[in-house]
Amino acid sequence: MADRTDKDVVLRLDSVDKKYPGVHAINEVSIEVRRGEVHALVGQNGAGKSTLVGIAAGSVTADSGAVEIGGARATNPTPQWCREQGLAIVYQEPALLPDLTVAENMRLSMPEHLRPAVESQISWADEILEQWSNVASIDPTTPVRELQPDARFVAEIAKALAEEPKVVVLDEPTEHLLPAAVTELFRLIAELIDAGGAVVYISHRLNEVKQIAHTVSVLRDGALVGTFAGESVTEQDVVNLVVGRELTRTYTREAARTASLADTLLEVTDFSADRFSNVDFSVRAGEIVGFAGVEGQGQREVLRALGGLTSNRGTVSLADRAVKTSSPTAALDGGIAYLTHDRHNEGILPGLSLRENASLSAFDRVSRLGVIRRYRERKITSETFASMRVKAPSPEVDIATLSGGNQQKVVLSRVLMTESNLILADEPTQGVDIGAREEIYSILREASVRGAAIIVLSSSAAELEQLCDRVIVFSRGTIAKELSGEDLSEHGIAQAVLSATSTRSRVETTLKKVTLGRRIARNDLAPAAILAAATVLLAFVAISQSDFYFTSRNFGLVLPLLAILIFFAMAQQVVMMIGGIDLSVGPLAGLLVVVGSFVLSAYRSPVGMVLGLLVLVVVAAVVGLVNWTLAVVVKINPLIATLVTYTAIQGIAYLLRPLPEGTIDPVFLSHISNKIGFVPIMVIVAVAVAVILEYSLYRTLFGIRLRATGSDHNTADRVGVRTKLVALAAYIGCSVLVVPAALLLMTQAGTGNAGIGDSYTLASIGAAVLGGASIFGGRGSFIGACFGAVLVIQINTVVQFLDLPLYWQQWLLGGLTIAAAALYSRARTLTERK
């Protein structure tokens, strides 16, 4: 170990230790990374690599030890502190917020002194992404949720390098990258090293490690095996250190060829879709066929279509029986199982155990008459995990707690447990260590020996050479060449791929041209336009029934109700931005009206009235604090938490005023109900507040952090957003926005009425959802919430003009809310798929 005063050391982990229940993840590890050095960190899945770099980046808290970056030392660093000291990290799963644009994601993670102004973030991001223009075309205004995995990694790496770090940590950076992008990454790493920076490089691809690493540290079972000069160890040395034994290939393609292949099992004829056409091929029982080609040539689309994930046409026959591929369920019922390449978004189910994740597609094997046979389920999953060498404390732990490689093994276990006739494996060894990779090859071969047909899509020509009996090369959506026998080699595959197409090796997953329809679908203000049109249509219906509708007197009656609901809708929208729903807003308004009957009573001085208003704000803030404590600190589901508050508030309000009584100062109420013509001042105030909040949502750092917290609070934590404080501000802000609504309700009641706000809870949720709010957080619009409130009031008004029973108001509101949620969800889903 070098002397601790060495000025060249830019990152030092000093005796860091971390334990999880049943696992000693990091065992007293000390590592130094020096300026001008690529320091590789290698080890099997579960060896502790990602935990160690998480500690270095402040996203994982060590039980003991210290982190030192550029001479600054901390025993409990935060992501923000690490970033400010000069550490940037690219995680194995990109730390990008799906509901923010690429530019917003990049700006959010920047250190304070490098963060651009909001108005220039798009041009700033575009300039950074331009360095990758020869391998990726990424529009900085594209929401991250619309990017495929390879494009996400390009954006994540570009973001990290833009932070001008002293040391950058790259956790499996090339798993999703095309060869051209890997070359570009290595070029940028070389530039960073030449400029005096440092890189911590984590990879299972030992050829890459040998290519760029100056120093290699090996982890095994959470402990540091040793640190070696890169030129002093061979690939085989590193493999043996990683696995703790001499590893040899025990199951290769050549050895497996001794078994003859059976008859044709899969027959695909005239298979076509948007990205491929007229694809014909067959696979025999016991055969492993590889799909190869430059990314974007249709091979992945064919695989996903066979798995039922995208619409298609043509004929698919398995074991002489036609199979429907209209959906994943239909494909699975027909004997086709699909292993996704996007483990994070399509593979694992966070919150469920390993056992539940693995058995999800094999219920027919573990159930009888629809009832799970728990013993059999545990037996089958345990045997499968043992054969896959899944490293976990127990099959009952949450899959989200596992390393990426072990998650991949569990997802593969799910596919194997279906015992399907056809297995579609999209990058099956992605994120898996060298030892587990050989095990997966062996497992896939064993499945083929049992008679299954297997199709493997891989970006690694070496993997296809070792594993496959035949390789099909795609170009421009059609089959360009087929390789077998002596032609099936790493060199032969690479040559066939490069000669099959003149298309550049670019990331094709981003939009080259953003159509008007796509811009409208992705815009959070689009629902407002739909609601405005619906409101106008209903207005014509009302006018056709009565001339009274379009009069100042009618508007004078309706607009105060509109102002109340706008404030309620905006309050609900604030907390829905972080993925919560506040059921307590209605009873809170009733409580504020009751409190107002005490603190805003007649004959008080102006100072007394101001103090009374402050009391109302404090009461509202306390309720918001209680909601936050229950939902965020105690971690009760927000619906349950706010339902508890709902009951408590209502009880307190009725305790103070069992019956409506007490007089609120009429002079004060006259100021609240003032009008300009027939338009109440509070309507103008409500619209102004909505515009300010809408501007803040997209143009201020807090607004972006609010959206980030709702988009994915775990990822937001990792990029330095203090999500608990953001959630606190959201819950308190929601409650405080109820105060002006309560003041308007006081003008209606004039006295302390505990139940006056109850009906507004569901109406506020309906207005926010109609305005485009996502119940999962991250998306929504305050202006949209305003238009949602307009439509709700319009529905209520038109129902009365049509002489319909009042319950039609609830039917129409409920039906439209459900329809709107379904429509917006479907539109966004289609946008993301395209």
Side-chain angles (χ1 to χ4, degrees), residues 270-291:
D270 198 23
F271 203 46
S272 301
D274 290 342
R275 300 289 297 275
F276 61 89
S277 60
N278 303 318
V279 172
D280 301 308
F281 68 93
S282 62
V283 184
R284 299 166 73 181
E287 185 179 25
I288 300 181
V289 173
F291 278 6

PDB file of all heavy atoms in Angstrom, residues 270-291:
ATOM      1  N   ASP A 270     -42.625 -16.393 -43.599  1.00  0.00           N
ATOM      2  CA  ASP A 270     -43.155 -15.079 -43.988  1.00  0.00           C
ATOM      3  C   ASP A 270     -43.436 -14.201 -42.760  1.00  0.00           C
ATOM      4  O   ASP A 270     -44.467 -13.545 -42.667  1.00  0.00           O
ATOM      5  CB  ASP A 270     -44.429 -15.252 -44.823  1.00  0.00           C
ATOM      6  CG  ASP A 270     -44.771 -13.997 -45.615  1.00  0.00           C
ATOM      7  OD1 ASP A 270     -43.856 -13.199 -45.870  1.00  0.00           O
ATOM      8  OD2 ASP A 270     -45.947 -13.808 -45.952  1.00  0.00           O
ATOM      9  N   PHE A 271     -42.489 -14.176 -41.855  1.00  0.00           N
ATOM     10  CA  PHE A 271     -42.630 -13.443 -40.594  1.00  0.00           C
ATOM     11  C   PHE A 271     -42.259 -11.984 -40.835  1.00  0.00           C
ATOM     12  O   PHE A 271     -41.151 -11.684 -41.306  1.00  0.00           O
ATOM     13  CB  PHE A 271     -41.721 -14.069 -39.551  1.00  0.00           C
ATOM     14  CG  PHE A 271     -42.124 -13.823 -38.122  1.00  0.00           C
ATOM     15  CD1 PHE A 271     -43.441 -13.969 -37.704  1.00  0.00           C
ATOM     16  CD2 PHE A 271     -41.178 -13.456 -37.177  1.00  0.00           C
ATOM     17  CE1 PHE A 271     -43.809 -13.768 -36.388  1.00  0.00           C
ATOM     18  CE2 PHE A 271     -41.531 -13.249 -35.858  1.00  0.00           C
ATOM     19  CZ  PHE A 271     -42.853 -13.405 -35.458  1.00  0.00           C
ATOM     20  N   SER A 272     -43.179 -11.061 -40.502  1.00  0.00           N
ATOM     21  CA  SER A 272     -42.958  -9.644 -40.810  1.00  0.00           C
ATOM     22  C   SER A 272     -43.516  -8.757 -39.715  1.00  0.00           C
ATOM     23  O   SER A 272     -44.424  -9.145 -38.963  1.00  0.00           O
ATOM     24  CB  SER A 272     -43.615  -9.268 -42.145  1.00  0.00           C
ATOM     25  OG  SER A 272     -43.126 -10.039 -43.211  1.00  0.00           O
ATOM     26  N   ALA A 273     -42.949  -7.550 -39.616  1.00  0.00           N
ATOM     27  CA  ALA A 273     -43.424  -6.510 -38.697  1.00  0.00           C
ATOM     28  C   ALA A 273     -42.840  -5.196 -39.174  1.00  0.00           C
ATOM     29  O   ALA A 273     -42.327  -5.103 -40.304  1.00  0.00           O
ATOM     30  CB  ALA A 273     -43.039  -6.826 -37.254  1.00  0.00           C
ATOM     31  N   ASP A 274     -42.893  -4.171 -38.336  1.00  0.00           N
ATOM     32  CA  ASP A 274     -42.436  -2.848 -38.755  1.00  0.00           C
ATOM     33  C   ASP A 274     -40.947  -2.829 -39.094  1.00  0.00           C
ATOM     34  O   ASP A 274     -40.526  -2.148 -40.014  1.00  0.00           O
ATOM     35  CB  ASP A 274     -42.722  -1.820 -37.651  1.00  0.00           C
ATOM     36  CG  ASP A 274     -44.202  -1.556 -37.496  1.00  0.00           C
ATOM     37  OD1 ASP A 274     -44.958  -1.894 -38.434  1.00  0.00           O
ATOM     38  OD2 ASP A 274     -44.606  -1.019 -36.446  1.00  0.00           O
ATOM     39  N   ARG A 275     -40.108  -3.567 -38.319  1.00  0.00           N
ATOM     40  CA  ARG A 275     -38.664  -3.473 -38.482  1.00  0.00           C
ATOM     41  C   ARG A 275     -38.043  -4.673 -39.195  1.00  0.00           C
ATOM     42  O   ARG A 275     -36.826  -4.753 -39.311  1.00  0.00           O
ATOM     43  CB  ARG A 275     -38.012  -3.310 -37.100  1.00  0.00           C
ATOM     44  CG  ARG A 275     -38.455  -2.078 -36.325  1.00  0.00           C
ATOM     45  CD  ARG A 275     -37.902  -0.802 -36.933  1.00  0.00           C
ATOM     46  NE  ARG A 275     -36.462  -0.769 -36.882  1.00  0.00           N
ATOM     47  CZ  ARG A 275     -35.750  -0.356 -35.834  1.00  0.00           C
ATOM     48  NH1 ARG A 275     -36.360   0.064 -34.753  1.00  0.00           N
ATOM     49  NH2 ARG A 275     -34.432  -0.332 -35.870  1.00  0.00           N
ATOM     50  N   PHE A 276     -38.859  -5.620 -39.641  1.00  0.00           N
ATOM     51  CA  PHE A 276     -38.330  -6.758 -40.405  1.00  0.00           C
ATOM     52  C   PHE A 276     -39.428  -7.286 -41.319  1.00  0.00           C
ATOM     53  O   PHE A 276     -40.621  -7.011 -41.098  1.00  0.00           O
ATOM     54  CB  PHE A 276     -37.821  -7.862 -39.474  1.00  0.00           C
ATOM     55  CG  PHE A 276     -38.877  -8.440 -38.571  1.00  0.00           C
ATOM     56  CD1 PHE A 276     -39.661  -9.524 -38.965  1.00  0.00           C
ATOM     57  CD2 PHE A 276     -39.100  -7.892 -37.305  1.00  0.00           C
ATOM     58  CE1 PHE A 276     -40.622 -10.049 -38.137  1.00  0.00           C
ATOM     59  CE2 PHE A 276     -40.071  -8.417 -36.467  1.00  0.00           C
ATOM     60  CZ  PHE A 276     -40.840  -9.498 -36.882  1.00  0.00           C
ATOM     61  N   SER A 277     -39.011  -8.042 -42.361  1.00  0.00           N
ATOM     62  CA  SER A 277     -40.019  -8.530 -43.319  1.00  0.00           C
ATOM     63  C   SER A 277     -39.558  -9.838 -43.953  1.00  0.00           C
ATOM     64  O   SER A 277     -38.363 -10.082 -44.156  1.00  0.00           O
ATOM     65  CB  SER A 277     -40.265  -7.484 -44.411  1.00  0.00           C
ATOM     66  OG  SER A 277     -39.069  -7.205 -45.120  1.00  0.00           O
ATOM     67  N   ASN A 278     -40.544 -10.675 -44.250  1.00  0.00           N
ATOM     68  CA  ASN A 278     -40.338 -11.923 -45.000  1.00  0.00           C
ATOM     69  C   ASN A 278     -39.199 -12.777 -44.437  1.00  0.00           C
ATOM     70  O   ASN A 278     -38.336 -13.264 -45.169  1.00  0.00           O
ATOM     71  CB  ASN A 278     -40.063 -11.609 -46.475  1.00  0.00           C
ATOM     72  CG  ASN A 278     -41.185 -10.807 -47.101  1.00  0.00           C
ATOM     73  OD1 ASN A 278     -42.363 -11.076 -46.876  1.00  0.00           O
ATOM     74  ND2 ASN A 278     -40.824  -9.793 -47.898  1.00  0.00           N
ATOM     75  N   VAL A 279     -39.201 -12.944 -43.133  1.00  0.00           N
ATOM     76  CA  VAL A 279     -38.184 -13.759 -42.471  1.00  0.00           C
ATOM     77  C   VAL A 279     -38.646 -15.212 -42.437  1.00  0.00           C
ATOM     78  O   VAL A 279     -39.739 -15.515 -41.949  1.00  0.00           O
ATOM     79  CB  VAL A 279     -37.921 -13.246 -41.033  1.00  0.00           C
ATOM     80  CG1 VAL A 279     -37.016 -14.211 -40.278  1.00  0.00           C
ATOM     81  CG2 VAL A 279     -37.299 -11.854 -41.078  1.00  0.00           C
ATOM     82  N   ASP A 280     -37.821 -16.114 -42.982  1.00  0.00           N
ATOM     83  CA  ASP A 280     -38.114 -17.543 -42.990  1.00  0.00           C
ATOM     84  C   ASP A 280     -36.904 -18.292 -42.426  1.00  0.00           C
ATOM     85  O   ASP A 280     -35.779 -18.088 -42.899  1.00  0.00           O
ATOM     86  CB  ASP A 280     -38.378 -18.051 -44.417  1.00  0.00           C
ATOM     87  CG  ASP A 280     -39.549 -17.349 -45.081  1.00  0.00           C
ATOM     88  OD1 ASP A 280     -40.624 -17.306 -44.470  1.00  0.00           O
ATOM     89  OD2 ASP A 280     -39.377 -16.833 -46.213  1.00  0.00           O
ATOM     90  N   PHE A 281     -37.137 -19.122 -41.435  1.00  0.00           N
ATOM     91  CA  PHE A 281     -36.062 -19.984 -40.927  1.00  0.00           C
ATOM     92  C   PHE A 281     -36.686 -21.097 -40.094  1.00  0.00           C
ATOM     93  O   PHE A 281     -37.874 -21.065 -39.748  1.00  0.00           O
ATOM     94  CB  PHE A 281     -35.059 -19.185 -40.087  1.00  0.00           C
ATOM     95  CG  PHE A 281     -35.591 -18.666 -38.789  1.00  0.00           C
ATOM     96  CD1 PHE A 281     -35.438 -19.393 -37.602  1.00  0.00           C
ATOM     97  CD2 PHE A 281     -36.242 -17.434 -38.726  1.00  0.00           C
ATOM     98  CE1 PHE A 281     -35.930 -18.909 -36.404  1.00  0.00           C
ATOM     99  CE2 PHE A 281     -36.729 -16.945 -37.522  1.00  0.00           C
ATOM    100  CZ  PHE A 281     -36.579 -17.693 -36.362  1.00  0.00           C
ATOM    101  N   SER A 282     -35.884 -22.091 -39.780  1.00  0.00           N
ATOM    102  CA  SER A 282     -36.342 -23.200 -38.950  1.00  0.00           C
ATOM    103  C   SER A 282     -35.244 -23.551 -37.953  1.00  0.00           C
ATOM    104  O   SER A 282     -34.070 -23.240 -38.163  1.00  0.00           O
ATOM    105  CB  SER A 282     -36.679 -24.421 -39.820  1.00  0.00           C
ATOM    106  OG  SER A 282     -35.527 -24.873 -40.515  1.00  0.00           O
ATOM    107  N   VAL A 283     -35.656 -24.187 -36.862  1.00  0.00           N
ATOM    108  CA  VAL A 283     -34.723 -24.638 -35.829  1.00  0.00           C
ATOM    109  C   VAL A 283     -35.108 -26.067 -35.457  1.00  0.00           C
ATOM    110  O   VAL A 283     -36.287 -26.369 -35.246  1.00  0.00           O
ATOM    111  CB  VAL A 283     -34.777 -23.742 -34.572  1.00  0.00           C
ATOM    112  CG1 VAL A 283     -33.728 -24.198 -33.561  1.00  0.00           C
ATOM    113  CG2 VAL A 283     -34.563 -22.272 -34.932  1.00  0.00           C
ATOM    114  N   ARG A 284     -34.120 -26.930 -35.365  1.00  0.00           N
ATOM    115  CA  ARG A 284     -34.370 -28.324 -35.035  1.00  0.00           C
ATOM    116  C   ARG A 284     -34.361 -28.530 -33.520  1.00  0.00           C
ATOM    117  O   ARG A 284     -33.761 -27.745 -32.779  1.00  0.00           O
ATOM    118  CB  ARG A 284     -33.320 -29.209 -35.704  1.00  0.00           C
ATOM    119  CG  ARG A 284     -33.345 -29.100 -37.220  1.00  0.00           C
ATOM    120  CD  ARG A 284     -32.114 -29.686 -37.859  1.00  0.00           C
ATOM    121  NE  ARG A 284     -32.116 -31.150 -37.803  1.00  0.00           N
ATOM    122  CZ  ARG A 284     -31.134 -31.907 -38.282  1.00  0.00           C
ATOM    123  NH1 ARG A 284     -30.069 -31.333 -38.838  1.00  0.00           N
ATOM    124  NH2 ARG A 284     -31.205 -33.221 -38.197  1.00  0.00           N
ATOM    125  N   ALA A 285     -35.014 -29.548 -33.069  1.00  0.00           N
ATOM    126  CA  ALA A 285     -34.985 -29.890 -31.656  1.00  0.00           C
ATOM    127  C   ALA A 285     -33.554 -30.195 -31.238  1.00  0.00           C
ATOM    128  O   ALA A 285     -32.836 -30.918 -31.923  1.00  0.00           O
ATOM    129  CB  ALA A 285     -35.885 -31.099 -31.389  1.00  0.00           C
ATOM    130  N   GLY A 286     -33.124 -29.602 -30.132  1.00  0.00           N
ATOM    131  CA  GLY A 286     -31.765 -29.801 -29.655  1.00  0.00           C
ATOM    132  C   GLY A 286     -30.747 -28.878 -30.285  1.00  0.00           C
ATOM    133  O   GLY A 286     -29.553 -28.963 -29.984  1.00  0.00           O
ATOM    134  N   GLU A 287     -31.195 -27.952 -31.134  1.00  0.00           N
ATOM    135  CA  GLU A 287     -30.276 -27.054 -31.840  1.00  0.00           C
ATOM    136  C   GLU A 287     -30.272 -25.674 -31.173  1.00  0.00           C
ATOM    137  O   GLU A 287     -31.297 -25.188 -30.716  1.00  0.00           O
ATOM    138  CB  GLU A 287     -30.696 -26.913 -33.302  1.00  0.00           C
ATOM    139  CG  GLU A 287     -29.727 -26.092 -34.145  1.00  0.00           C
ATOM    140  CD  GLU A 287     -30.165 -25.988 -35.602  1.00  0.00           C
ATOM    141  OE1 GLU A 287     -31.390 -26.125 -35.864  1.00  0.00           O
ATOM    142  OE2 GLU A 287     -29.308 -25.769 -36.454  1.00  0.00           O
ATOM    143  N   ILE A 288     -29.090 -25.066 -31.117  1.00  0.00           N
ATOM    144  CA  ILE A 288     -28.960 -23.687 -30.655  1.00  0.00           C
ATOM    145  C   ILE A 288     -28.570 -22.821 -31.841  1.00  0.00           C
ATOM    146  O   ILE A 288     -27.505 -23.019 -32.446  1.00  0.00           O
ATOM    147  CB  ILE A 288     -27.908 -23.558 -29.539  1.00  0.00           C
ATOM    148  CG1 ILE A 288     -28.287 -24.431 -28.339  1.00  0.00           C
ATOM    149  CG2 ILE A 288     -27.782 -22.102 -29.094  1.00  0.00           C
ATOM    150  CD1 ILE A 288     -27.294 -24.344 -27.176  1.00  0.00           C
ATOM    151  N   VAL A 289     -29.435 -21.888 -32.171  1.00  0.00           N
ATOM    152  CA  VAL A 289     -29.225 -20.991 -33.313  1.00  0.00           C
ATOM    153  C   VAL A 289     -28.950 -19.590 -32.794  1.00  0.00           C
ATOM    154  O   VAL A 289     -29.637 -19.096 -31.900  1.00  0.00           O
ATOM    155  CB  VAL A 289     -30.456 -20.980 -34.241  1.00  0.00           C
ATOM    156  CG1 VAL A 289     -30.305 -19.924 -35.331  1.00  0.00           C
ATOM    157  CG2 VAL A 289     -30.656 -22.354 -34.860  1.00  0.00           C
ATOM    158  N   GLY A 290     -27.936 -18.958 -33.330  1.00  0.00           N
ATOM    159  CA  GLY A 290     -27.587 -17.595 -32.926  1.00  0.00           C
ATOM    160  C   GLY A 290     -28.134 -16.563 -33.888  1.00  0.00           C
ATOM    161  O   GLY A 290     -28.219 -16.822 -35.097  1.00  0.00           O
ATOM    162  N   PHE A 291     -28.522 -15.398 -33.365  1.00  0.00           N
ATOM    163  CA  PHE A 291     -28.905 -14.242 -34.175  1.00  0.00           C
ATOM    164  C   PHE A 291     -27.781 -13.216 -34.051  1.00  0.00           C
ATOM    165  O   PHE A 291     -27.374 -12.868 -32.931  1.00  0.00           O
ATOM    166  CB  PHE A 291     -30.204 -13.623 -33.676  1.00  0.00           C
ATOM    167  CG  PHE A 291     -31.459 -14.323 -34.162  1.00  0.00           C
ATOM    168  CD1 PHE A 291     -31.394 -15.505 -34.887  1.00  0.00           C
ATOM    169  CD2 PHE A 291     -32.713 -13.785 -33.896  1.00  0.00           C
ATOM    170  CE1 PHE A 291     -32.545 -16.149 -35.327  1.00  0.00           C
ATOM    171  CE2 PHE A 291     -33.869 -14.417 -34.334  1.00  0.00           C
ATOM    172  CZ  PHE A 291     -33.787 -15.594 -35.049  1.00  0.00           C
TER     173      PHE A 291
END
